[in-house]
Amino acid sequence: MDSSVTAKATDAELANSIRALAMDAVEAAKSGHPGMPMGMAEIAVALWKRHLQHNPGNPNWPDRDRFVLSNGHGSMLLYSVLHLTGYDLPLEELRRFRQLGSKTPGHPERGCAPGVETTTGPLGQGISNAVGMALAERLLAAEFNRPEHTVVDHYTYAFLGDGCMMEGISHESCALAGTLGLGKLIAIYDDNGISIDSDKGQIKQWYTDDVRRRFESYGWQVIAGVDGHDVEAVDRAIRKAKREKTRPTLICAKTTIAKGAPKKANTGAAHGAPLGADEIAATRAALGWAHPAFEIPQSVYDGWNAREAGKRAEKAWQRRFNAYKKAHPAEAAAFERRMKGELPAEFDAVARRVAEEFNEKRETLATRRASQLVLDALKPVLPELVGGSADLTGSNLTMAKTSKVIGRSSSPDTGGDYVFYGVREFGMAAVMNGLALHGGFVPYGGTFLVFSDYARNALRLAALMGARVIYVFTHDSIGLGEDGPTHQPIEHAASLRLMPNMDVWRPADAVETAIAWAAGIRRKNGPSALLLTRQNVPPSPHGELSAAERGGYVVSDAEGARAVVIATGSEVQIALEAQKLLAGDGIPVRVVSMPSTSVFDRQPAEYRNSVLTTLPKVAVEAGVSDYWRKYVGLDGAVVGIDRYGESAPAGELFKHFGFTPAKVAEAVRSIVR
Ligand SMILES: Cc1ncc(C[n+]2csc(CCOP(=O)(O)OP(=O)(O)O)c2C)c(N)n1
Ligand SMILES: [Mg+2]
């Protein structure tokens, strides 16, 4: 035999290359999680070598299979396979695991290494993103595929561990996935009996769920008792999963954490710490892996290399897409536009017209109702809007005239654009992230503002990832009235504003609501939260409607103003009334409406200064007062509420808590010089 011909790498060698890279990178970083990659190595071989349709040369191929590492602490598994299969992730980046500026942060972050579909690490959210991705695939397939043309047809795979299983959010999203019948969602559970607590990490002490029955009760196909170290067995399970068309599949794979490490395998010690030089050497010996750290034999690279196969797969899809384009040019153009995340040409005009119509009609409306009217107008030009509510559709007013509820897969038509998420705020928000990350959709979803806390970490991940999602948070203050303090948000507007890259909008009237919606939809690189009233609000006076696009603007000025009153949402009308009272007393004041502080803060200093001036300032918002100090300073005044609300009719509560023109006027008098 020609000695230059290297033998083909075995599956065992492919798996061991992951083990080696994981333990060596964690050792080099002096931190990280070697156990999971070493435990799921064979599973990765079965999936990435035999099933996953992807093209390392083009991580954005629209019809690629999606892969989500929900147990994101095992990031070195993902970085290893991305590197080995030929993504633009050089070995150097693996050497720099967890270092500043590397593409290999501690947990996978979308936008760092190519091929990372979503940011994971906060356990339970990755699998929930995967549910959103699988839902996106199904909706796009229903909308775009034609009898002779299949252009959307891919699987969504997720790895998850005990931590994801324990997190409540996995119950929310997986139950929904079962109900919706997302048959192309395939999750593989790393059933290793280990998480963190206690000396040995043995999970039996705190986690005894019957996972199989749990998922069966959700309506999943469960393939239990698979040997996760047997590539053939995992391969068979994945094949079975793919044959199932209407139920998502959970493959329960029995594994040993840190498999191969003589002393540390099957211990909690291997979960989140370097194995140490001695144990690494012993592991190399036990595995028969003779290569030094970060050296991968060419035969192993060849065995993993997916570049050619990936290119072929994408080309075959491109041919199908070209034929589709010929037969259905309009649909093909719409698909391409949506996958790029671009808005249709008509969008700007339609959005402007909605605001103009509101301004002409000058109706007194709750902003939640205005929001619904905006949706009625926008939906016909924006098929990518996929909405929903966490069981508060009639309160959030998130359903538009043309909305069509997404049915279960057993119903004949599986498409639609509206999700009844059920009472699952966190699940909803993470599923929305998955919809947005998949591409083709701009998801929006509603609940009461006070329950944004339930969803909060998914909002944070949307902001961190720069995902375009829109939250419709209604019942935005004590103005919701009788439901009382459990339902009345107090700190929520301020606390959402604290989240970097979250645009919070609290519109004062219908016009501002239309502008907030348009801004959220235009915004490609982050989420927007719309805080909307339950109660009616009168229209503000408007000059140039686009003024509100700057986040804060002078809504009503006064010659020789001696103070500036800044207000948001339903309190703008109170500020305007106070302005009249004060005018009667010979104290002219300017009123600034500030629907979005973050958008305002991004304006040039010159503009901000021209709006706020150096005059003394009062802020008015039915929420905690601290946030407003950055605008009014210590010399200014804030009319806010720093305690929990009360159960009573809204009008009475506003009076009770001092949100009246007289109180605002009093606050102004206390600060004018
Ligand atoms: C929401 C959340 N809570 C806590 C953590 C911290 N944490 C990371 S891994 C882990 C244990 C996970 O156990 P398992 O999924 O079984 O991982 P294994 O040790 O088997 O790799 C915990 C608590 C986290 N990442 N996310
Ligand atoms: Mg575990």
Side-chain angles (χ1 to χ4, degrees), residues 33 35-36 71 73 107 121-123 161-164 166-167 190 192 194-196 203 257 271:
H33 302 77
M36 179 285 217
N71 39 1
H73 54 277
H107 294 82
L123 297 170
D162 301 298
C164 295
M166 281 184 259
E167 286 292 350
D190 182 29
N192 62 13
I194 298 278
S195 65
I196 296 180
I203 217 163
I257 194 168
H271 159 86

Side-chain angles (χ1 to χ4, degrees), residues 297-610:
Q298 190 56 44
S299 60
V300 170
Y301 272 124
D302 293 344
W304 271 116
N305 193 336
R307 289 186 70 90
E308 279 312 310
K311 206 186 285 176
R312 276 198 308 276
E314 183 176 352
K315 264 203 180 134
W317 175 82
Q318 192 63 55
R319 275 195 299 274
R320 290 201 303 280
F321 191 78
N322 291 345
Y324 176 74
K325 205 170 187 167
K326 258 200 193 123
H328 305 283
E331 287 82 351
F335 180 80
E336 286 180 319
R337 172 185 76 70
R338 283 172 53 177
M339 291 308 290
K340 280 189 213 138
E342 283 166 6
L343 297 174
E346 319 86 274
F347 173 75
D348 281 332
V350 175
R352 200 176 323 116
R353 205 166 59 236
V354 188
E356 282 165 2
E357 279 175 16
F358 280 146
N359 198 37
E360 282 155 23
K361 284 194 189 143
R362 298 194 58 73
E363 277 181 281
T364 289
L365 282 180
T367 53
R368 64 174 171 151
R369 172 64 184 142
S371 161
Q372 188 176 38
L373 294 171
V374 173
L375 282 169
D376 283 341
L378 292 184
K379 275 206 60 72
V381 292
L382 282 182
E384 56 265 56
L385 277 179
V386 56
S389 167
D391 207 30
L392 287 169
T393 291
S395 299
N396 303 141
L397 302 183
T398 31
M399 198 179 244
K401 272 188 194 137
T402 57
S403 292
K404 183 172 168 295
V405 176
I406 295 160
R408 306 185 58 176
S409 68
S410 45
S411 58
D413 182 356
T414 57
D417 59 16
Y418 193 86
V419 188
F420 285 144
Y421 285 102
V423 193
R424 302 181 177 111
E425 295 81 8
F426 193 10
M428 171 175 76
V431 168
M432 285 163 64
N433 285 348
L435 284 162
L437 296 171
H438 180 280
F441 293 104
V442 177
Y444 70 91
T447 184
F448 291 151
L449 175 57
V450 80
F451 301 133
S452 61
D453 290 341
Y454 272 58
R456 190 171 175 97
N457 204 265
L459 273 51
R460 183 174 192 271
L461 281 181
L464 172 60
M465 287 189 268
R468 173 165 49 185
V469 295
I470 298 170
Y471 309 107
V472 180
F473 290 140
T474 67
H475 297 58
D476 71 339
S477 76
I478 51 167
L480 67 86
E482 293 84 345
D483 272 340
T486 56
H487 283 52
Q488 291 162 352
I490 296 290
E491 72 280 25
H492 298 77
S495 87
L496 288 173
R497 289 180 186 125
L498 292 178
M499 218 179 252
N501 199 34
M502 170 69 70
D503 274 357
V504 176
W505 288 86
R506 188 162 184 260
D509 67 353
V511 169
E512 285 190 9
T513 305
I515 282 163
W517 258 111
I521 289 167
R522 276 193 200 106
R523 188 168 191 234
K524 271 188 157 186
N525 56 357
S528 303
L530 311 184
L531 280 41
L532 306 173
T533 65
R534 168 179 187 251
Q535 76 278 20
N536 280 339
V537 286
S540 301
H542 289 284
E544 179 54 53
L545 294 189
S546 61
E549 286 171 8
R550 307 192 81 160
Y553 64 103
V554 179
V555 66
S556 176
D557 213 353
E559 186 73 29
R562 291 174 59 197
V564 176
V565 180
I566 309 165
T568 80
S570 46
E571 287 72 77
V572 171
Q573 51 167 317
I574 300 172
L576 290 167
E577 290 298 319
Q579 183 189 41
K580 286 183 204 153
L581 283 183
L582 289 160
D585 290 354
I587 306 176
V589 298
R590 161 182 285 194
V591 177
V592 167
S593 177
M594 197 172 303
S596 178
T597 56
S598 56
V599 173
F600 180 75
D601 291 348
R602 290 201 292 267
Q603 304 302 314
E606 201 182 316
Y607 174 76
R608 283 182 279 125
N609 294 337
S610 76

Side-chain angles (χ1 to χ4, degrees), residues 564 566 616-619 625 628-638:
V564 176
I566 309 165
K617 283 174 265 295
V618 173
S625 58
W628 291 101
R629 287 286 162 198
K630 73 170 179 165
Y631 298 107
V632 304
L634 294 176
D635 299 334
V638 182

Side-chain angles (χ1 to χ4, degrees), residues 65-363:
D65 285 342
R66 302 304 195 268
F67 175 78
V68 174
L69 191 82
S70 193
N71 39 1
H73 54 277
S75 56
M76 267 312 301
L77 178 141
L78 182 51
Y79 298 147
S80 299
V81 288
L82 290 172
H83 167 71
L84 292 164
T85 56
Y87 283 78
D88 182 15
L89 189 67
L91 197 60
E92 192 46 37
E93 292 290 346
L94 274 60
R95 285 181 189 274
R96 299 207 310 127
F97 180 48
R98 296 183 155 233
Q99 303 312 302
L100 190 64
S102 78
K103 289 184 178 173
T104 51
H107 294 82
E109 290 178 41
R110 183 172 166 105
C112 285
V116 172
E117 300 279 1
T118 176
T119 298
T120 53
L123 297 170
Q125 288 196 63
I127 180 66
S128 309
N129 297 161
V131 171
M133 292 175 187
L135 178 58
E137 192 272 348
R138 174 162 129 207
L139 297 181
L140 287 173
E143 188 177 347
F144 287 99
N145 289 346
R146 293 293 178 271
E148 307 289 309
H149 300 274
T150 302
V151 291
V152 182
D153 182 16
H154 72 76
Y155 289 95
T156 299
Y157 296 98
F159 285 2
L160 73 163
D162 301 298
C164 295
M165 286 293 185
M166 281 184 259
E167 286 292 350
I169 187 175
S170 69
H171 293 253
E172 297 183 12
S173 58
C174 293
L176 183 66
T179 299
L180 293 178
L182 301 178
K184 284 156 97 176
L185 173 62
I186 299 173
I188 307 183
Y189 168 36
D190 182 29
D191 183 8
N192 62 13
I194 298 278
S195 65
I196 296 180
D197 270 348
S198 88
D199 293 345
K200 291 243 158 80
Q202 300 293 335
I203 217 163
K204 290 193 288 289
Q205 301 172 70
W206 54 85
Y207 184 61
T208 57
D209 291 20
D210 185 330
V211 172
R212 174 186 195 145
R213 281 162 64 195
R214 173 185 158 194
F215 275 75
E216 281 173 353
S217 80
Y218 295 157
W220 287 50
Q221 164 179 240
V222 180
I223 305 173
V226 175
D227 177 354
H229 297 297
D230 178 346
V231 174
E232 301 303 328
V234 176
D235 173 45
R236 271 196 307 277
I238 296 173
R239 275 189 275 136
K240 183 165 181 207
K242 287 161 104 176
R243 286 195 298 272
E244 168 64 50
K245 298 297 172 208
T246 57
R247 291 179 298 167
T249 294
L250 181 73
I251 298 170
C252 298
K254 275 270 171 227
T255 66
T256 303
I257 194 168
K259 168 96 172 163
K263 289 208 180 98
K264 294 197 173 168
N266 199 28
T267 69
H271 159 86
L275 297 183
D278 293 348
E279 181 73 351
I280 288 177
T283 307
R284 281 197 147 73
L287 296 174
W289 185 264
H291 320 286
F294 297 109
E295 274 186 30
I296 304 292
Q298 190 56 44
S299 60
V300 170
Y301 272 124
D302 293 344
W304 271 116
N305 193 336
R307 289 186 70 90
E308 279 312 310
K311 206 186 285 176
R312 276 198 308 276
E314 183 176 352
K315 264 203 180 134
W317 175 82
Q318 192 63 55
R319 275 195 299 274
R320 290 201 303 280
F321 191 78
N322 291 345
Y324 176 74
K325 205 170 187 167
K326 258 200 193 123
H328 305 283
E331 287 82 351
F335 180 80
E336 286 180 319
R337 172 185 76 70
R338 283 172 53 177
M339 291 308 290
K340 280 189 213 138
E342 283 166 6
L343 297 174
E346 319 86 274
F347 173 75
D348 281 332
V350 175
R352 200 176 323 116
R353 205 166 59 236
V354 188
E356 282 165 2
E357 279 175 16
F358 280 146
N359 198 37
E360 282 155 23
K361 284 194 189 143
R362 298 194 58 73
E363 277 181 281

Side-chain angles (χ1 to χ4, degrees), residues 14-73:
L14 300 186
N16 287 339
S17 64
I18 295 177
R19 292 197 167 91
L21 286 172
M23 62 184 185
D24 291 336
V26 170
E27 195 68 17
K30 300 190 185 70
S31 77
H33 302 77
M36 179 285 217
M38 297 175 75
M40 292 194 84
E42 280 81 14
I43 298 171
V45 172
L47 176 62
W48 282 68
K49 272 290 293 174
R50 303 192 185 181
H51 294 280
L52 195 77
Q53 293 290 308
H54 65 124
N55 180 8
N58 179 14
N60 297 320
W61 167 28
D63 202 42
R64 68 191 181 279
D65 285 342
R66 302 304 195 268
F67 175 78
V68 174
L69 191 82
S70 193
N71 39 1
H73 54 277

